[in-house]
């Protein structure tokens, strides 16, 4: 029996999500402290935001910046990472506004230090009108926690009926953001690590050995090309 030809679509994913892994190994290879890897990782974030903003059809970029599990790292690294984020937010706000990039945050934000929460609120407000690209910074984020928090939110609202997929989706951290179409993970690890568990149910995955600080526009392009050759069936057979 002749096989059904695979339909190849040249399309751009509307929402790309990235597990930015390998900062530590990048630094180790160069004999530098881990924090130097995170600093270089922040430069890669800038490059990829710029590339994503100029890619027609790419509307959302989610970045796994700090997981609920990352608190278990040495204190100096955790403090260094959070302070790097704060510095990044302070120094990039005007540039992002100018380039019409909206930035929103997703995760247990209310558990972060007050000054970081203030910075985040300012940032979201300042960039709210950006219509070129929406960047979702997943911060103190865990995929299981997002589902648990969503269900608890429903319970707090007094919901006592049958839970549906639509109800859970509507009570996640960022209900207005569509599910990711493509999830990229750098540094050779092939795991989801508690990232966007609910949202990535039908996502395509792209894994690359490139360490995050080395990830550039060409690597993003490769991932987008890989996506455009995939046929998504959504379980329809
Ligand atoms: C994983 O590398 C990376 C992180 C835990 C942090 C990602 C954060 C940044 C890129 C900093 C800037 C972010 C923004 C949004 C400005 P790893 O330390 O787990 O690397 P390893 O697996 O090689 O040890």
């Amino acid at each position: 029996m002749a096989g059904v030809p695979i339909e190849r679509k040249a399309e751009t994913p509307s929402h790309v999500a990235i597990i930015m892994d390998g900062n530590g190994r990048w630094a180790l290879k160069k004999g530098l402290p881990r924090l130097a890897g995170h600093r270089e990782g922040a430069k890669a974030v800038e490059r990829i935001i710029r590339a994503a903003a100029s890619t027609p059809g790419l509307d959302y970029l989610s970045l796994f910046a700090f997981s609920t599990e990352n608190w278990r790292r040495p204190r100096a690294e955790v403090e260094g990472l959070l302070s790097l984020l704060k510095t990044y937010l302070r120094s990039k706000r005007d540039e992002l506004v100018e380039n019409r990039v909206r930035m929103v945050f997703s995760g247990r934000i209310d558990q972060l230090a007050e000054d970081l929460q203030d910075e985040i609120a300012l940032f979201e407000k300042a960039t709210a009108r950006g219509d070129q690209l929406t960047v979702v910074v997943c911060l103190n984020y865990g995929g299981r926690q997002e589902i648990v928090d969503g269900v608890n939110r429903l319970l707090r609202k007094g919901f006592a009926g049958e839970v549906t997929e639509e109800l859970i989706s509507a009570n996640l951290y960022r209900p207005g953001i569509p599910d990711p179409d493509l999830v990229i993970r750098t540094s050779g690890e092939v795991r989801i690590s508690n990232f966007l568990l609910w949202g990535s149910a039908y996502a395509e995955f792209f894994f690359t050995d490139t360490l995050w600080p080395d990830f550039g526009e060409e690597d993003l392009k490769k991932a987008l090309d890989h996506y455009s050759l995939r046929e998504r069936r959504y379980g329809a057979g």
Side-chain angles (χ1 to χ4, degrees):
M1 201 169 92
V4 179
I6 294 177
E7 186 192 340
R8 291 174 184 264
K9 295 184 202 145
E11 61 177 39
T12 304
S14 160
H15 184 174
V16 174
I18 310 183
I19 303 176
M20 310 180 287
D21 198 10
N23 294 350
R25 273 163 286 164
W26 182 92
L28 192 72
K29 262 177 46 186
K30 293 197 151 31
L32 297 167
R34 291 179 61 83
L35 211 51
H38 295 314
R39 249 182 251 121
E40 206 59 28
K43 291 187 196 160
V45 166
E46 259 191 85
R47 279 199 298 275
I48 295 311
I49 291 179
R50 212 171 297 124
S54 58
T55 303
L58 206 171
D59 303 314
Y60 300 90
L61 177 69
S62 287
L63 301 171
F64 204 1
F66 193 90
S67 76
T68 44
E69 289 78 30
N70 284 155
W71 296 106
R72 292 194 212 122
R73 294 190 177 201
R75 200 175 148 160
E77 186 179 347
V78 169
E79 282 174 2
L81 245 174
L82 293 175
S83 129
L84 180 68
L85 263 159
K86 214 161 34 181
T87 313
Y88 179 91
L89 295 184
R90 286 212 181 110
S91 64
K92 298 292 165 199
R93 197 191 310 155
D94 294 346
E95 198 182 319
L96 290 178
V97 173
E98 226 168 84
N99 289 295
R100 311 210 318 260
V101 173
R102 172 167 80 121
M103 199 175 259
V104 298
F105 293 76
S106 177
R108 289 185 170 166
I109 304 302
D110 58 350
Q111 289 178 354
L112 297 169
E114 296 265 333
D115 59 338
L116 184 53
Q117 286 190 48
D118 292 346
E119 206 66 55
I120 286 171
L122 267 177
F123 211 89
E124 288 194 336
K125 197 162 170 237
T127 65
R129 277 142 60 117
D131 56 4
Q132 197 61 27
L133 174 76
T134 294
V135 178
V136 185
V137 180
C138 300
L139 191 55
N140 197 19
Y141 176 90
R144 285 189 172 180
Q145 290 83 343
E146 181 174 30
I147 298 168
V148 168
D149 290 353
V151 171
N152 279 325
R153 202 168 145 203
L154 266 172
L155 294 176
R156 271 198 308 277
K157 287 182 194 166
F159 181 78
E162 190 102 333
V163 170
T164 60
E165 287 188 21
E166 289 72 23
L167 271 171
I168 292 187
S169 293
N171 283 278
L172 297 179
Y173 295 135
R174 286 283 164 187
I177 310 266
D179 288 344
D181 303 293
L182 172 68
V183 177
I184 299 173
R185 182 169 190 151
T186 59
S187 92
E189 308 290 349
V190 184
R191 284 193 297 275
I192 194 160
S193 298
N194 205 16
F195 188 45
L196 305 180
L197 292 184
W198 184 272
S200 64
Y202 295 104
E204 291 291 337
F205 283 80
F206 179 80
F207 298 99
T208 170
D209 288 339
T210 305
L211 303 175
W212 177 249
D214 291 327
F215 195 87
E217 201 168 335
E218 275 308 305
D219 299 280
L220 178 66
K221 202 178 161 298
K222 247 186 248 166
L224 299 180
D225 287 348
H226 163 93
Y227 176 88
S228 75
L229 292 175
R230 291 302 182 94
E231 189 202 15
R232 295 174 81 196
R233 294 177 189 269
Y234 296 95

